PDB file of all heavy atoms in Angstrom:
ATOM      1  N   ASP A1466     -62.309  29.978  -5.673  1.00  0.00           N
ATOM      2  CA  ASP A1466     -61.241  29.420  -6.408  1.00  0.00           C
ATOM      3  C   ASP A1466     -60.059  30.504  -6.525  1.00  0.00           C
ATOM      4  O   ASP A1466     -58.905  30.100  -6.431  1.00  0.00           O
ATOM      5  CB  ASP A1466     -61.652  28.950  -7.720  1.00  0.00           C
ATOM      6  CG  ASP A1466     -60.496  28.461  -8.485  1.00  0.00           C
ATOM      7  OD1 ASP A1466     -60.124  27.204  -8.286  1.00  0.00           O
ATOM      8  OD2 ASP A1466     -59.980  29.092  -9.418  1.00  0.00           O
ATOM      9  N   LYS A1467     -60.498  31.721  -6.641  1.00  0.00           N
ATOM     10  CA  LYS A1467     -59.445  32.794  -6.869  1.00  0.00           C
ATOM     11  C   LYS A1467     -58.576  32.985  -5.602  1.00  0.00           C
ATOM     12  O   LYS A1467     -57.626  33.577  -5.618  1.00  0.00           O
ATOM     13  CB  LYS A1467     -60.128  34.055  -7.278  1.00  0.00           C
ATOM     14  CG  LYS A1467     -60.876  34.062  -8.606  1.00  0.00           C
ATOM     15  CD  LYS A1467     -61.386  35.401  -9.043  1.00  0.00           C
ATOM     16  CE  LYS A1467     -62.258  35.289 -10.259  1.00  0.00           C
ATOM     17  NZ  LYS A1467     -63.408  34.449 -10.080  1.00  0.00           N
ATOM     18  N   HIS A1468     -59.214  32.453  -4.564  1.00  0.00           N
ATOM     19  CA  HIS A1468     -58.350  32.649  -3.202  1.00  0.00           C
ATOM     20  C   HIS A1468     -57.823  31.389  -2.746  1.00  0.00           C
ATOM     21  O   HIS A1468     -57.576  31.104  -1.487  1.00  0.00           O
ATOM     22  CB  HIS A1468     -59.413  33.188  -2.131  1.00  0.00           C
ATOM     23  CG  HIS A1468     -59.960  34.584  -2.480  1.00  0.00           C
ATOM     24  ND1 HIS A1468     -60.966  34.685  -3.434  1.00  0.00           N
ATOM     25  CD2 HIS A1468     -59.610  35.755  -2.080  1.00  0.00           C
ATOM     26  CE1 HIS A1468     -61.219  36.049  -3.541  1.00  0.00           C
ATOM     27  NE2 HIS A1468     -60.467  36.675  -2.812  1.00  0.00           N
ATOM     28  N   ALA A1469     -57.570  30.402  -3.727  1.00  0.00           N
ATOM     29  CA  ALA A1469     -56.900  29.177  -3.329  1.00  0.00           C
ATOM     30  C   ALA A1469     -57.712  28.400  -2.430  1.00  0.00           C
ATOM     31  O   ALA A1469     -57.238  27.758  -1.458  1.00  0.00           O
ATOM     32  CB  ALA A1469     -55.487  29.446  -2.863  1.00  0.00           C
ATOM     33  N   MET A1470     -59.046  28.401  -2.542  1.00  0.00           N
ATOM     34  CA  MET A1470     -59.922  27.619  -1.739  1.00  0.00           C
ATOM     35  C   MET A1470     -60.800  26.837  -2.601  1.00  0.00           C
ATOM     36  O   MET A1470     -61.153  27.265  -3.744  1.00  0.00           O
ATOM     37  CB  MET A1470     -60.703  28.526  -0.797  1.00  0.00           C
ATOM     38  CG  MET A1470     -59.858  29.348   0.176  1.00  0.00           C
ATOM     39  SD  MET A1470     -60.666  30.594   1.057  1.00  0.00           S
ATOM     40  CE  MET A1470     -61.512  29.528   2.281  1.00  0.00           C
ATOM     41  N   THR A1471     -61.300  25.682  -2.189  1.00  0.00           N
ATOM     42  CA  THR A1471     -62.207  24.795  -2.944  1.00  0.00           C
ATOM     43  C   THR A1471     -63.119  23.993  -1.964  1.00  0.00           C
ATOM     44  O   THR A1471     -62.619  23.651  -0.759  1.00  0.00           O
ATOM     45  CB  THR A1471     -61.320  23.925  -3.870  1.00  0.00           C
ATOM     46  OG1 THR A1471     -62.264  23.282  -4.728  1.00  0.00           O
ATOM     47  CG2 THR A1471     -60.598  22.884  -3.091  1.00  0.00           C
ATOM     48  N   PRO A1472     -64.259  23.724  -2.269  1.00  0.00           N
ATOM     49  CA  PRO A1472     -65.125  23.013  -1.374  1.00  0.00           C
ATOM     50  C   PRO A1472     -64.729  21.567  -1.171  1.00  0.00           C
ATOM     51  O   PRO A1472     -64.504  20.864  -2.231  1.00  0.00           O
ATOM     52  CB  PRO A1472     -66.567  23.126  -1.954  1.00  0.00           C
ATOM     53  CG  PRO A1472     -66.339  23.347  -3.444  1.00  0.00           C
ATOM     54  CD  PRO A1472     -64.979  24.132  -3.557  1.00  0.00           C
ATOM     55  N   LEU A1473     -64.743  21.036   0.065  1.00  0.00           N
ATOM     56  CA  LEU A1473     -64.383  19.722   0.260  1.00  0.00           C
ATOM     57  C   LEU A1473     -65.453  18.754  -0.280  1.00  0.00           C
ATOM     58  O   LEU A1473     -65.182  17.682  -0.858  1.00  0.00           O
ATOM     59  CB  LEU A1473     -64.293  19.423   1.812  1.00  0.00           C
ATOM     60  CG  LEU A1473     -64.100  17.949   2.211  1.00  0.00           C
ATOM     61  CD1 LEU A1473     -62.849  17.351   1.611  1.00  0.00           C
ATOM     62  CD2 LEU A1473     -64.099  17.820   3.708  1.00  0.00           C
ATOM     63  N   TRP A1474     -66.792  19.167  -0.112  1.00  0.00           N
ATOM     64  CA  TRP A1474     -67.807  18.241  -0.429  1.00  0.00           C
ATOM     65  C   TRP A1474     -67.918  17.794  -1.896  1.00  0.00           C
ATOM     66  O   TRP A1474     -68.436  16.776  -2.267  1.00  0.00           O
ATOM     67  CB  TRP A1474     -69.102  18.770  -0.003  1.00  0.00           C
ATOM     68  CG  TRP A1474     -69.492  20.187  -0.456  1.00  0.00           C
ATOM     69  CD1 TRP A1474     -70.193  20.471  -1.702  1.00  0.00           C
ATOM     70  CD2 TRP A1474     -69.285  21.377   0.124  1.00  0.00           C
ATOM     71  NE1 TRP A1474     -70.283  21.785  -1.780  1.00  0.00           N
ATOM     72  CE2 TRP A1474     -69.744  22.412  -0.734  1.00  0.00           C
ATOM     73  CE3 TRP A1474     -68.575  21.828   1.351  1.00  0.00           C
ATOM     74  CZ2 TRP A1474     -69.698  23.791  -0.439  1.00  0.00           C
ATOM     75  CZ3 TRP A1474     -68.506  23.146   1.672  1.00  0.00           C
ATOM     76  CH2 TRP A1474     -69.052  24.123   0.761  1.00  0.00           C
ATOM     77  N   THR A1475     -67.180  18.558  -2.752  1.00  0.00           N
ATOM     78  CA  THR A1475     -67.249  18.095  -4.172  1.00  0.00           C
ATOM     79  C   THR A1475     -66.089  17.045  -4.548  1.00  0.00           C
ATOM     80  O   THR A1475     -66.190  16.475  -5.565  1.00  0.00           O
ATOM     81  CB  THR A1475     -66.935  19.309  -5.189  1.00  0.00           C
ATOM     82  OG1 THR A1475     -65.647  19.831  -4.839  1.00  0.00           O
ATOM     83  CG2 THR A1475     -67.999  20.432  -4.912  1.00  0.00           C
ATOM     84  N   VAL A1476     -65.167  16.911  -3.558  1.00  0.00           N
ATOM     85  CA  VAL A1476     -64.081  15.961  -3.778  1.00  0.00           C
ATOM     86  C   VAL A1476     -63.963  14.848  -2.681  1.00  0.00           C
ATOM     87  O   VAL A1476     -63.230  13.895  -2.948  1.00  0.00           O
ATOM     88  CB  VAL A1476     -62.773  16.654  -3.954  1.00  0.00           C
ATOM     89  CG1 VAL A1476     -62.701  17.603  -5.116  1.00  0.00           C
ATOM     90  CG2 VAL A1476     -62.437  17.380  -2.644  1.00  0.00           C
ATOM     91  N   LEU A1477     -64.763  15.081  -1.668  1.00  0.00           N
ATOM     92  CA  LEU A1477     -64.646  14.166  -0.474  1.00  0.00           C
ATOM     93  C   LEU A1477     -64.712  12.677  -0.855  1.00  0.00           C
ATOM     94  O   LEU A1477     -63.799  11.887  -0.507  1.00  0.00           O
ATOM     95  CB  LEU A1477     -65.697  14.462   0.495  1.00  0.00           C
ATOM     96  CG  LEU A1477     -65.688  13.568   1.818  1.00  0.00           C
ATOM     97  CD1 LEU A1477     -64.402  13.788   2.563  1.00  0.00           C
ATOM     98  CD2 LEU A1477     -66.906  13.981   2.704  1.00  0.00           C
ATOM     99  N   SER A1478     -65.559  12.290  -1.655  1.00  0.00           N
ATOM    100  CA  SER A1478     -65.698  10.853  -1.961  1.00  0.00           C
ATOM    101  C   SER A1478     -64.488  10.304  -2.833  1.00  0.00           C
ATOM    102  O   SER A1478     -64.288   9.152  -2.992  1.00  0.00           O
ATOM    103  CB  SER A1478     -66.972  10.556  -2.701  1.00  0.00           C
ATOM    104  OG  SER A1478     -67.082  11.290  -3.877  1.00  0.00           O
ATOM    105  N   ASN A1479     -63.755  11.210  -3.463  1.00  0.00           N
ATOM    106  CA  ASN A1479     -62.559  10.880  -4.215  1.00  0.00           C
ATOM    107  C   ASN A1479     -61.320  10.741  -3.441  1.00  0.00           C
ATOM    108  O   ASN A1479     -60.388  10.018  -3.745  1.00  0.00           O
ATOM    109  CB  ASN A1479     -62.292  11.765  -5.392  1.00  0.00           C
ATOM    110  CG  ASN A1479     -63.459  11.999  -6.346  1.00  0.00           C
ATOM    111  OD1 ASN A1479     -64.332  11.085  -6.417  1.00  0.00           O
ATOM    112  ND2 ASN A1479     -63.628  13.178  -6.903  1.00  0.00           N
ATOM    113  N   ILE A1480     -61.315  11.515  -2.343  1.00  0.00           N
ATOM    114  CA  ILE A1480     -59.976  11.611  -1.587  1.00  0.00           C
ATOM    115  C   ILE A1480     -59.989  10.819  -0.303  1.00  0.00           C
ATOM    116  O   ILE A1480     -59.013  10.353   0.239  1.00  0.00           O
ATOM    117  CB  ILE A1480     -59.498  13.021  -1.296  1.00  0.00           C
ATOM    118  CG1 ILE A1480     -60.492  13.766  -0.543  1.00  0.00           C
ATOM    119  CG2 ILE A1480     -59.324  13.767  -2.651  1.00  0.00           C
ATOM    120  CD1 ILE A1480     -60.132  15.195  -0.128  1.00  0.00           C
TER     121      ILE A1480
END
Side-chain angles (χ1 to χ4, degrees):
Chain A
D1466 179 78
K1467 299 185 182 59
H1468 298 78
M1470 297 171 76
T1471 191
L1473 171 62
W1474 56 87
T1475 62
V1476 296
L1477 180 58
S1478 59
N1479 301 332
I1480 62 179

